Amino acid sequence: MSSRFAALKGVEDILPPDSYLRQFIEDKARSVFGSYGFGEIKTPIIEHTDLFLRSIGETSDIVSKEMYTFTDKGGRSITLRPEGTASVVRAYVEHSLAMRPSPQKFYYMGPMFRYERPQKGRQRQFYQIGVEAFGVAEARMDAEVILMLMLHLDRIGLEDLSLELNSIGCGECRPAFKEALRDFFAPKLPELCPDCQRRFETNPLRILDCKVERCIEIRKDAPLVTDYLCGNCRSHFDSLLKLLGVMGVKYTLNPHMVRGLDYYTRTTFEVTTENLGAQKAVAAGGRYDGLVEEFGGPATPAIGFAMGVERLAALLKDKAAPPITDFFVASLGEEAATQALKLASGLRAEGIRGELGYGGSLKSQLRKAGKLGARFAIIIGEDELKSGLLKWKDLKKGESGEVPLAGARKLFA
Ligand code: ATP
Ligand code: MG
């Protein structure tokens, strides 16, 4: 008995025409990021598990419940990457990129893996497009990175998005804020979810990111991180807000947004939409000024973001246009089929896109040409072979005519 396989839960095949939409989103990213001087970096999909423990943080949801971790045949603990930043920072340190002229700017695109509950806009394998910029502490770099993100979202045709901004401070101001959070949550501890009771001990900041209804309710009046920023963090944030104002970027301040990864410092941001149901965030990012040093490199300020490609694609669903088919060659008989192959190959070599008819009558092949939305149908039957004149039809304009085999190229002038 034969058995049929199905893809795993929470992962999916991306078929044409959906893959055209993915390509469109990626192509625009390459062109926009290229105009900002970012170069593509391709990092491995598997890494040492420790890389993610050290960067994303052991108390984060990702590390504590969502990682695909396994032991390889050499006994190493390996994890499928749940996000891109940790690998890029590892590569930055491993290849001593701090020795290259600053800033160093990268983008990546590819699949990420998180063992989450699959639902609309939330898969176990999902694609991110992300960027990382190393070496500049100035708020102007934060502004550049945010402008670049907004330009990409604009270029792919997304509207009605909102940009939410916050600053979550640095190693200097964070301890006082954590203390304030502990003071606030201590009397409410029994009412918090078990996860948050643990977070209270390990990292009270994480309580602010909990998705449990009751915890959201309890934290409504929690202290705001922006009230605890040190002078340097405050003036960094003020500079950024001023620059975004000058550039006409609309934003909302969200002092409750702490983000789910431990490595963030200072600026954090999310781009959200009201058109996707519960999964609102299409992109998110922030500064991580301490991570390069944490990975053994020189102290290097850095900032980045990642977009969720499935969520972008869902918003653009109706805009997936497959590329245009320029021609379709229908043929009858072996000799004509060979001539059709020759003709099509010559046209394709010049960048003209087209297909050959396979099997069936000329009529059924022409129906296929219509279904494909081909611009020209070219016919090679017995008569055409004898006369050396091919019949063509412009399926868009309804015109038709004849052209010598060697002159077919002219149809596409
Ligand atoms: P969320 O709050 O939706 O779980 P997150 O804070 O975990 O998002 P990040 O780690 O910042 O997300 O990843 C950046 C973007 O990647 C998100 O804004 C989202 O668009 C996308 N993303 C994250 N997790 C998933 C997933 N499981 N499936 C699809 N897209 C995802
Ligand atoms: Mg998440």
Side-chain angles (χ1 to χ4, degrees):
M1 206 181 80
S2 69
S3 60
R4 291 168 57 140
F5 290 109
L8 293 169
K9 201 173 153 193
V11 312
E12 64 184 7
D13 301 307
I14 302 155
L15 312 172
D18 293 343
S19 49
Y20 294 118
L21 181 53
R22 301 301 191 90
Q23 272 171 20
F24 167 75
I25 294 169
E26 290 176 3
D27 289 350
K28 293 289 182 205
R30 288 180 204 282
S31 115
V32 169
F33 300 167
S35 71
Y36 273 79
F38 284 62
E40 183 164 7
I41 181 169
K42 291 177 186 288
T43 62
I45 283 172
I46 49 176
E47 297 275 5
H48 288 289
T49 301
D50 282 346
L51 184 79
F52 303 114
L53 302 191
R54 284 265 295 283
S55 54
I56 302 170
E58 310 216 12
T59 61
S60 68
D61 279 0
I62 295 180
V63 168
S64 61
K65 11 181 177 170
E66 298 173 358
M67 294 211 302
Y68 278 91
T69 298
F70 62 96
T71 308
D72 76 2
K73 295 192 194 307
R76 303 167 196 89
S77 180
I78 305 289
T79 292
L80 301 187
R81 64 181 184 193
E83 58 107 49
T85 303
S87 299
V88 180
V89 174
R90 178 201 41 74
Y92 182 85
V93 173
E94 184 170 344
H95 305 290
S96 304
L97 300 184
M99 308 290 278
R100 298 191 185 177
S102 174
Q104 287 288 308
K105 300 180 289 190
F106 307 99
Y107 68 86
Y108 59 82
M109 37 187 81
M112 306 294 161
F113 305 84
R114 296 183 194 175
Y115 196 79
E116 301 201 66
R117 191 167 67 78
Q119 52 198 292
K120 190 164 168 275
R122 195 174 290 288
Q123 294 87 246
R124 290 181 173 168
Q125 174 175 329
F126 60 99
Y127 281 72
Q128 284 188 338
I129 301 178
V131 315
E132 317 291 351
F134 296 91
V136 179
E138 237 187 277
R140 199 151 48 116
M141 182 56 91
D142 306 36
E144 266 203 279
V145 164
I146 290 171
L147 283 163
M148 183 168 83
L149 169 60
M150 300 317 277
L151 180 60
H152 176 258
L153 295 171
D154 178 74
R155 281 296 141 85
I156 60 176
L158 284 184
E159 291 157 4
D160 300 331
L161 297 172
S162 41
L163 168 65
E164 295 185 25
L165 273 184
N166 194 20
S167 173
I168 60 167
C170 64
E172 210 168 299
C173 36
R174 189 91 43 89
F177 179 56
K178 278 191 181 172
E179 241 2 85
L181 283 178
R182 284 211 177 90
D183 289 346
F184 174 83
F185 285 115
K188 305 173 175 66
L189 204 51
E191 294 175 70
L192 292 173
C193 76
D195 275 344
C196 281
Q197 296 190 4
R198 211 168 328 114
R199 290 168 180 144
F200 179 85
E201 300 299 336
T202 53
N203 187 354
L205 226 70
R206 291 271 72 85
I207 301 175
L208 301 178
D209 207 32
C210 181
K211 309 265 184 332
V212 173
E213 203 73 35
R214 182 75 189 120
C215 297
I216 297 175
E217 174 67 27
I218 292 170
R219 70 171 180 242
K220 248 187 15 236
D221 302 314
L224 298 179
V225 62
T226 35
D227 291 335
Y228 289 81
L229 296 181
C230 63
N232 288 337
C233 286
R234 184 73 251 170
S235 74
H236 180 92
F237 197 39
D238 289 342
S239 309
L240 172 61
L241 299 185
K242 198 167 149 203
L243 288 168
L244 293 178
V246 169
M247 296 308 297
V249 177
K250 291 204 187 73
Y251 58 81
T252 323
L253 295 180
N254 180 356
H256 297 287
M257 180 179 64
V258 291
R259 312 281 307 111
L261 305 94
D262 278 358
Y263 52 63
Y264 284 118
T265 54
R266 294 196 168 171
T267 313
T268 56
F269 53 95
E270 277 190 11
V271 176
T272 57
T273 172
E274 291 304 319
N275 303 325
L276 280 183
Q279 271 45 258
K280 292 184 190 317
V282 297
R287 262 198 180 273
Y288 48 94
D289 290 342
L291 193 54
V292 174
E293 207 175 6
E294 171 71 27
F295 278 8
T300 307
I303 179 168
F305 66 74
M307 298 182 275
V309 182
E310 283 75 14
R311 296 185 194 177
L312 299 179
L315 289 171
L316 293 169
K317 209 166 49 231
D318 304 332
K319 300 187 185 162
I324 288 159
T325 305
D326 298 312
F327 69 85
F328 185 97
V329 192
S331 62
L332 206 60
E334 198 180 327
E335 177 54 20
T338 306
Q339 291 302 325
L341 176 65
K342 271 194 190 163
L343 172 64
S345 305
L347 293 173
R348 290 160 173 167
E350 300 211 37
I352 302 165
R353 311 172 58 107
E355 297 195 32
L356 293 178
Y358 281 95
S361 63
L362 282 176
K363 211 169 163 192
S364 75
Q365 291 181 48
L366 289 174
R367 263 202 303 277
K368 174 91 190 291
K371 268 196 199 137
L372 277 172
R375 164 104 198 272
F376 287 102
I378 300 171
I379 298 152
I380 315 183
E382 265 170 38
D383 295 350
E384 288 78 11
L385 273 184
K386 259 186 234 140
S387 66
L389 283 177
L390 310 182
K391 286 204 184 66
W392 59 264
K393 259 189 191 168
D394 185 326
L395 300 176
K396 296 268 138 63
K397 294 188 183 154
E399 293 164 4
S400 58
E402 288 185 337
V403 66
L405 182 58
R409 168 78 184 83
K410 291 202 188 78
L411 287 174
F412 306 93

